[in-house]
Amino acid sequence: MSSSRKALDGFAVTTMVVLCSIWGFQQVVIKVAAGDIPPVMQLGLRSIVSGALVALVMIRRGVSFSVGDGTLGPGLLAGGLFGVEFLLIAEGLRFTTASHMVVFLYTAPAFTALGLHWLLPAERLRPRQWLGIAAAFGGIALAFSAGPQAGPRALLGDLLGVLAGIAWAATTVIIRTTALSETPPTKTLLYQLILGAVVMLPYGVLTGQAAQVSFTAVTWGALAFHAVVVSFATYLAWFWLLRHYLAARLAVFSFLTPLFGVGFGVWLLGDPLSARFTLGAVLVLAGIALASGALPRLRPLPTPAR
């Protein structure tokens, strides 16, 4: 890590809190706009707009679009998994609450730690990290035992959230263990956005969800939020922070995202929270915090929090 990277100051802390609040707000926006545009179409169309914006940034910065640098294979694989992840999120939000989705999605760091443990000798888990993994999975089990409070199919949505977390983790492992680890983050992000659209939009057409899109003010607002604010502006802000501040210190703030997500879901959508789910969510986040104890050894990942 470059010695020029600084410890966090007031600007960095404030920026990270704002970014995490925006990332935590995503699930709420998807749910609010679902009546006008199905979630899978929101996220598929987002990928097209965001991809175009990222491509313009690459052109301005002189980043090569060449696929002859060894990134094509892993780029396609990481991009495909990115598309599958958001497809699972979109479908899961049709059945479960935004609060449940954000918690189950954020099991990803625990699965990432397991994957890196088996693939990279430098990332072997210590006893404290294994304790964190056990706590996180215990939290998942406890959260599931709370039962379907948001309807009879809520457990299906919760399961899709966990599977989305696994897909996110697999994407991260691929990025960390292939040529993508040395690739400019904008190029890696472009692979993901392009393949995300390739996965989600045809699915939306085949399942008839594309025909359910109504281009209302809510639809345009949701698309602008997802494409311009989240997948473009906040991601570029995250990359800028990684270039100027210590990555391990920044990563600590990622745990605020699910807290914001749950808070917004309960406040704005009236999501029900049982005592078991709340305790399970606390165990998941505490376990992930322990499992991420090796963060100071990790290089900055080229994708921010979801």
Side-chain angles (χ1 to χ4, degrees), residues 1-2 4-16 19 23 57 61 184-186 189 232-247 250 300-304:
M1 180 176 293
S2 170
S4 64
R5 290 194 174 95
K6 305 179 294 183
L8 300 191
D9 53 24
F11 173 78
V13 170
T14 301
T15 303
M16 279 304 303
L19 292 181
W23 292 332
V57 170
R61 294 179 177 176
T186 47
L189 180 57
F232 180 68
T234 68
Y235 285 14
L236 291 181
W238 167 256
F239 297 144
W240 184 89
L241 288 170
L242 286 178
R243 288 197 302 271
H244 292 85
Y245 295 93
L246 297 173
L250 293 171
L301 296 177
T303 49

Side-chain angles (χ1 to χ4, degrees), residues 28 31 96-100 149 261-262 264-273:
V28 173
K31 292 287 282 189
T96 193
T97 65
S99 300
H100 278 218
Q149 292 191 314
V262 171
F264 285 136
V266 173
W267 175 37
L268 299 174
L269 301 177
D271 289 351
L273 287 181

Side-chain angles (χ1 to χ4, degrees), residues 210-294:
Q212 300 172 23
V213 176
S214 299
F215 285 101
T216 64
V218 171
T219 297
W220 289 115
L223 291 177
F225 174 78
H226 291 308
V228 180
V229 177
V230 176
S231 294
F232 180 68
T234 68
Y235 285 14
L236 291 181
W238 167 256
F239 297 144
W240 184 89
L241 288 170
L242 286 178
R243 288 197 302 271
H244 292 85
Y245 295 93
L246 297 173
R249 308 286 177 83
L250 293 171
V252 172
F253 282 86
S254 66
F255 300 115
L256 290 176
T257 301
L259 296 179
F260 276 119
V262 171
F264 285 136
V266 173
W267 175 37
L268 299 174
L269 301 177
D271 289 351
L273 287 181
S274 69
R276 283 190 180 185
F277 175 79
T278 302
L279 180 57
V282 170
L283 277 175
V284 168
L285 296 180
I288 290 171
L290 284 173
S292 301

